[in-house]
């Protein structure tokens, strides 16, 4: 619920008569603005007239006592408001340095500037209270002490290297530069202060974190807005601090460990929080119930869970995140040996929508009497399911979350092999038929889905490998796959003369027709570790190519996938069709869902 929306001059946000402080939640992200943002803010004020719009801030106002200091929790706009206060501090320091030259009006302005940064009721009550991360709050107080705005405060070690101090020094330098060689130095500073004080900002006050998130998502500020995960963290830490004062550092350590399991990718973090609720929705329905967690309702869900049991909520999601890390190859669990390769394959085939079900199975492993062999069988089923789904788009992406939630619902009362059987039956029911899957495999599969194509080719190559001949086809160097898809008959617009001669008897138009109908077929594709080296070379060169050490790096590289190519002397439409038929037959058998063993 929005409590108020008002457009204020900056001077009113820092109103010297108001007992208002802006509290940046204790464990919100640290101060991150750098030179580009400082420069932009300073120049915007310098180059525009009073009243220039500086953006908006969102505050949570849960104050009930109008007579006490009103603490507004600043959940969006903290970078801007902190920077403005540092600019005020830099101006105050210059005025204080030349105090003996100020006239009476200028002295009043200097005094008022101090009261913008600390409340009238006490010099130790600062107006903007930064978060504690990375010494932000200590650095900020040290700056105010240096200017004489508050009493003595020790400067933290290495403060000059951090952004709070660097911003303050930057503004000191810009003010010096602005007034350098000017006769009316103090007048220019006072005029600049007037312009800043009369710049405008929209201040939005809301009643809860959920309301703040709804707003912040829709506002396009120049700042660095908080994510849903930031707001969940802020709410959780605030709640835990109120419940168990003095233990917040311990809980913050738990939170950081949780994020450590998930990694820095926000998309993955947010997906985990959604999937956790969707997996355990029935367990949470006494606290809060919505049909499915989405990006738009995530804050509301976790606000309810945190208010109900903040400590238990953190413990449970942390334990779940540790297991979720297995899907991301960020954690190992000796009790789940044998699942590493199947789970890696599930990640490679983009099976992340099924993680919510897998998370449920891992958390409930003992209760469901699941052995590692059961879990490996289920993951194998999921890999086959997603190869088919991602190629046929059946079921559509929008239905996947509800599909896996429905599968969980039907596991009630089941255990062991019965769990595997139930999942198997439901995946078959949701999957495309073998006929549809076969048609997709026989078509221009690379054009249809290059990711699935690569997975299919690698899987076909891997099934023929032994321990002695094993090659890691998923190895990455310089953020790229070493082994990549190779088009045997080239896909480039300018077909080489040697290929026109071989595949179309020197008929360039015929060669282009064949390229249109056959270039992206499975039979014309393979895996090569030297794709860029092969490119548009002739078929013979592709087959026989060796590296400087004399090792075969062309189609005679030892992969069974390439045996038809290694033994061929030419390449034709008939050979593409024949190899397509052969590989499609192998793929259907490898990724079969219905019939036979699961």
């Amino acid at each position: 619920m929005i409590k108020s929306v008002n457009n204020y001059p900056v001077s009113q946000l820092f109103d010297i008569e108001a007992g208002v402080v802006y509290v940046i939640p204790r464990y919100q992200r640290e101060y991150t603005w750098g030179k580009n943002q400082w420069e932009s803010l300073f120049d915007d004020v310098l180059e525009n007239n009073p009243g220039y719009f500086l953006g908006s801030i969102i505050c949570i106002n849960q104050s009930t006592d109008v007579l006490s200091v009103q603490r507004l929790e600043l959940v969006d706009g903290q970078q801007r408001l902190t920077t403005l206060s540092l600019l005020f501090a830099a101006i105050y320091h210059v005025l204080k340095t030349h105090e003996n030259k100020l006239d009476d009006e200028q002295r009043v302005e200097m005094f008022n500037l101090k009261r913008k940064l600390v409340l009238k009721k006490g010099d130790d009550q600062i107006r903007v209270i930064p978060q504690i991360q990375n010494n932000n709050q200590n650095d900020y107080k040290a700056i105010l002490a240096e200017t004489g705005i508050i009493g003595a405060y020790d400067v933290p070690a290495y403060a000059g290297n951090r952004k709070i101090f660097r911003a303050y020094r930057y503004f000191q330098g810009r003010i010096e530069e602005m007034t350098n060689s000017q006769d009316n130095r103090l007048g220019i500073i006072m005029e600049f202060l007037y312009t800043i004080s009369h710049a405008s900002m929209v201040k939005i006050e809301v009643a809860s974190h959920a309301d703040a998130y709804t707003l912040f998502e829709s506002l396009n500020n120049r700042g660095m807005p908080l994510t849903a995960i930031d707001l969940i963290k802020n709410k959780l830490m605030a709640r835990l601090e109120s419940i168990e004062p003095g233990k917040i550092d311990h809980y913050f350590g738990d939170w950081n460990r949780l994020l450590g399991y998930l990694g820095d990718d926000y998309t993955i973090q947010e997906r985990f929080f959604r999937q956790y609720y969707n997996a355990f929705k029935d367990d949470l329905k006494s606290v809060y119930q919505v049909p499915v967690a989405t990006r738009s309702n995530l804050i509301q869900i976790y606000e309810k869970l945190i208010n109900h049991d903040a400590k238990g909520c953190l413990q449970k999601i942390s334990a779940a995140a540790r297991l979720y890390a297995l899907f991301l190859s960020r954690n190992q669990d000796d009790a789940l040996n044998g699942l590493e390769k199947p789970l890696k394959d599930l990640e490679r085939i983009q099976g992340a929508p099924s993680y919510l079900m897998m998370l449920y199975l891992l958390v409930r492993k003992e209760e469901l009497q699941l052995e590692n062999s059961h879990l490996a069988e289920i993951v194998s089923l999921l890999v086959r399911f997603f190869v088919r789904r991602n190629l046929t788009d059946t079921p559509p992406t929008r239905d996947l979350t509800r599909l896996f939630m429905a599968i969980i619902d039907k596991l009630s009362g089941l255990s062991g092999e019965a769990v595997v059987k139930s999942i198997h039956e439901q995946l078959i029911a949701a999957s495309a038929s073998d006929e549809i899957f076969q048609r997709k495999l026989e078509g221009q599969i690379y054009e249809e889905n290059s990711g699935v194509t690569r997975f299919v080719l690698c899987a076909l190559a891997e099934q023929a490998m032994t321990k002695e001949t094993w090659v890691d086809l998923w190895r990455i160097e310089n953020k790229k796959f070493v082994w990549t898809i190779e088009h045997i008959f080239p896909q480039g617009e300018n077909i080489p003369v040697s290929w026109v001669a071989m595949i179309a008897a020197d008929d360039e138009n015929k060669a282009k027709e064949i390229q249109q109908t056959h270039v992206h077929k499975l039979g014309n594709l393979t895996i090569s570790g030297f794709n860029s080296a092969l490119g548009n070379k002739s078929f013979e060169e592709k087959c026989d190519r060796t590296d400087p050490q004399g090792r075969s790096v062309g189609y005679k590289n030892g992969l069974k996938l390439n045996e038809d190519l290694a033994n061929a002397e030419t390449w034709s439409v008939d050979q593409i069709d024949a190899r397509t038929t052969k590989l499609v037959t192998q793929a259907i058998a490898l990724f079969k869902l219905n019939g036979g063993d699961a």
Side-chain angles (χ1 to χ4, degrees):
M1 180 182 71
I2 297 176
K3 300 183 77 169
S4 65
V5 180
N6 290 289
N7 188 6
Y8 293 114
V10 169
S11 61
Q12 197 165 343
L13 294 178
F14 291 84
D15 187 356
I16 65 174
E17 301 296 336
V20 176
V21 296
Y22 299 96
V23 183
I24 298 167
R26 191 172 178 186
Y27 284 99
Q28 200 176 102
R29 70 165 65 135
E30 65 189 65
Y31 182 73
T32 58
W33 270 21
K35 185 175 182 295
N36 288 341
Q37 288 87 7
W38 307 331
E39 184 175 55
S40 177
L41 178 68
F42 194 95
D43 288 344
D44 283 349
V45 174
L46 189 63
E47 296 168 5
N48 287 280
N49 295 324
Y52 180 75
F53 181 61
L54 289 177
S56 61
I57 61 173
I58 301 176
C59 306
I60 297 174
N61 184 355
Q62 296 179 326
S63 301
T64 55
D65 186 355
V66 295
L67 298 178
S68 64
V69 172
Q70 188 179 52
R71 294 171 63 87
L72 300 180
E73 186 176 337
L74 188 61
V75 294
D76 193 35
Q78 60 133 323
Q79 307 284 336
R80 187 176 300 104
L81 213 61
T82 302
T83 305
L84 281 170
S85 68
L86 290 169
L87 178 52
F88 278 147
I91 295 172
Y92 180 85
H93 182 262
V94 175
L95 295 178
K96 185 73 173 174
T97 303
H98 298 88
E99 187 173 5
N100 61 337
K101 298 178 183 178
L102 300 179
D103 59 31
D104 290 344
E105 186 176 341
Q106 291 171 336
R107 287 176 187 274
V108 170
E109 286 298 323
M110 186 185 77
F111 176 81
N112 289 342
L113 184 54
K114 176 179 179 178
R115 291 305 171 196
K116 282 181 168 67
L117 298 174
V118 294
L119 301 193
K120 268 187 174 183
K121 294 182 179 179
D123 285 352
D124 293 330
Q125 178 58 75
I126 58 179
R127 178 86 59 188
V128 176
I129 305 176
Q131 68 284 67
I132 66 172
Q133 282 197 80
N134 199 26
N135 274 302
N136 281 182
Q137 193 174 119
N138 289 332
D139 290 349
Y140 183 81
K141 287 182 176 179
I143 287 169
L144 297 190
E146 178 182 304
T147 63
I149 291 173
I150 64 173
Y153 197 88
D154 290 339
V155 178
Y158 310 112
N161 295 328
R162 292 188 289 269
K163 288 188 174 179
I164 290 279
F165 253 89
R166 285 166 55 199
Y168 173 65
R169 299 297 186 214
Y170 172 82
F171 289 135
Q172 285 183 313
R174 285 300 304 270
I175 294 167
E176 177 67 28
E177 177 186 306
M178 181 178 67
T179 58
N180 192 30
S181 302
Q182 298 291 327
D183 295 333
N184 186 23
R185 183 175 186 180
L186 291 176
I188 291 171
I189 292 173
M190 298 308 297
E191 183 178 347
F192 183 62
L193 175 60
Y194 178 88
T195 306
I196 299 169
S197 298
H198 287 79
S200 69
M201 295 183 72
V202 171
K203 176 185 174 187
I204 306 171
E205 293 186 18
V206 296
S208 69
H209 286 82
D211 295 334
Y213 177 67
T214 301
L215 275 172
F216 116 82
E217 248 198 344
S218 62
L219 290 176
N220 182 25
N221 289 333
R222 290 179 300 165
M224 299 178 182
L226 299 178
T227 66
I229 306 307
D230 288 326
L231 290 169
I232 289 171
K233 173 193 66 178
N234 293 345
K235 175 65 179 177
L236 181 61
M237 293 300 137
R239 181 70 174 164
L240 288 168
E241 189 172 24
S242 68
I243 295 170
E244 295 189 60
K247 292 192 66 176
I248 196 64
D249 290 338
H250 166 77
Y251 288 123
F252 187 54
D254 289 344
W255 175 268
N256 281 338
R257 225 172 353 262
L258 185 161
L259 291 189
Y261 292 134
L262 303 177
D264 296 330
D265 189 329
Y266 172 72
T267 303
I268 292 174
Q269 294 175 2
E270 188 232 295
R271 184 183 71 203
F272 164 75
F273 278 85
R274 281 189 286 112
Q275 290 188 330
Y276 176 82
Y277 175 82
N278 290 333
F280 301 103
K281 178 171 69 76
D282 285 348
D283 297 345
L284 305 171
K285 62 185 178 184
S286 62
V287 180
Y288 190 64
Q289 188 170 21
V290 292
V292 61
T294 64
R295 290 182 177 87
S296 61
N297 65 15
L298 198 61
I299 291 294
Q300 290 93 325
I301 289 170
Y302 280 91
E303 194 165 31
K304 292 287 185 181
L305 299 182
I306 290 165
N307 284 336
H308 175 73
D309 181 9
K311 186 176 178 179
C313 180
L314 179 57
Q315 289 174 340
K316 288 175 181 177
I317 59 177
S318 293
R322 184 182 66 80
L323 293 172
Y324 200 86
L326 294 168
F327 311 148
L328 310 174
S329 302
R330 296 184 61 84
N331 194 19
Q332 289 186 330
D333 191 325
D334 291 339
L336 295 171
N337 283 338
L339 288 179
E340 295 87 353
K341 176 63 166 64
L343 286 173
K344 196 65 184 174
D345 282 344
L346 186 58
E347 178 189 9
R348 288 166 175 162
I349 195 56
Q350 299 177 351
S354 67
Y355 289 174
L356 78 91
M357 183 190 76
M358 286 305 305
L359 182 61
Y360 179 87
L361 297 179
L362 291 182
V363 171
R364 297 278 192 269
K365 185 172 182 276
E366 290 188 14
E367 179 185 327
L368 294 170
Q369 299 176 34
L370 293 173
E371 303 293 337
N372 286 1
S373 58
H374 293 135
L375 293 170
E377 193 174 354
I378 291 167
V379 177
S380 175
L381 282 168
L382 290 169
V383 169
R384 284 177 268 161
F385 170 80
F386 274 101
V387 169
R388 301 163 70 97
R389 194 231 78 84
N390 292 347
L391 190 57
T392 64
D393 199 34
T394 303
T397 303
R398 64 180 177 275
D399 293 342
L400 289 175
T401 294
R402 292 183 184 273
L403 167 64
F404 290 107
M405 292 175 71
I407 290 176
I408 289 173
D409 288 342
K410 293 183 180 179
L411 298 182
S412 178
L414 302 180
S415 62
E417 199 60 45
V419 171
V420 180
K421 183 180 179 182
S422 176
I423 293 172
H424 185 195
E425 290 172 348
Q426 293 178 74
L427 291 178
I428 290 173
S431 183
S433 67
D434 284 348
E435 291 74 22
I436 294 174
F437 182 46
Q438 180 173 337
R439 283 202 301 272
K440 290 291 186 179
L441 288 170
E442 290 172 339
Q444 300 266 51
I445 184 174
Y446 181 84
E447 200 169 44
E448 196 79 48
N449 191 315
S450 60
V452 172
T453 303
R454 188 181 195 284
F455 188 90
V456 169
L457 289 169
C458 288
L460 291 174
E462 286 173 352
Q463 71 173 345
M465 293 179 187
T466 64
K467 286 184 178 180
E468 291 73 25
T469 62
W470 180 263
V471 178
D472 183 4
L473 301 177
W474 296 92
R475 185 159 59 95
I476 292 176
E477 290 182 5
N478 299 319
K479 299 182 179 180
K480 293 181 179 179
F481 286 122
V482 173
W483 292 80
T484 56
I485 294 177
E486 158 77 7
H487 287 77
I488 302 163
F489 174 35
Q491 63 173 327
E493 183 177 350
N494 297 318
I495 304 173
V497 173
S498 63
W499 276 101
V500 175
M502 175 181 286
I503 207 159
D506 293 321
D507 186 337
E508 187 173 348
N509 290 330
K510 181 66 174 177
K512 288 187 178 297
E513 288 178 17
I514 294 170
Q515 190 182 58
Q516 288 293 316
T517 58
H518 283 71
V519 74
H520 295 313
K521 281 194 169 188
L522 199 56
N524 191 56
L525 303 170
T526 190
I527 295 289
S528 167
F530 294 85
N531 192 358
S532 60
L534 296 177
N536 287 338
K537 294 184 181 299
S538 69
F539 182 73
E540 184 179 1
E541 288 177 301
K542 289 187 175 191
C543 284
D544 297 336
R545 186 172 177 81
T546 58
D547 66 10
Q549 287 74 41
R551 295 172 297 190
S552 293
V553 296
Y555 297 150
K556 296 178 181 178
N557 58 16
L559 291 184
K560 189 172 177 62
L561 181 68
N562 293 335
E563 64 179 356
D564 294 339
L565 308 175
N567 297 323
E569 296 181 359
T570 61
W571 196 240
S572 66
V573 171
D574 289 342
Q575 286 169 294
I576 293 175
D577 287 338
R579 186 166 178 267
T580 296
T581 299
K582 176 182 176 180
L583 296 183
V584 166
T585 301
Q586 293 176 6
I588 289 173
L590 190 58
F591 301 113
K592 196 171 186 63
L593 264 184
N594 57 341
D597 295 334

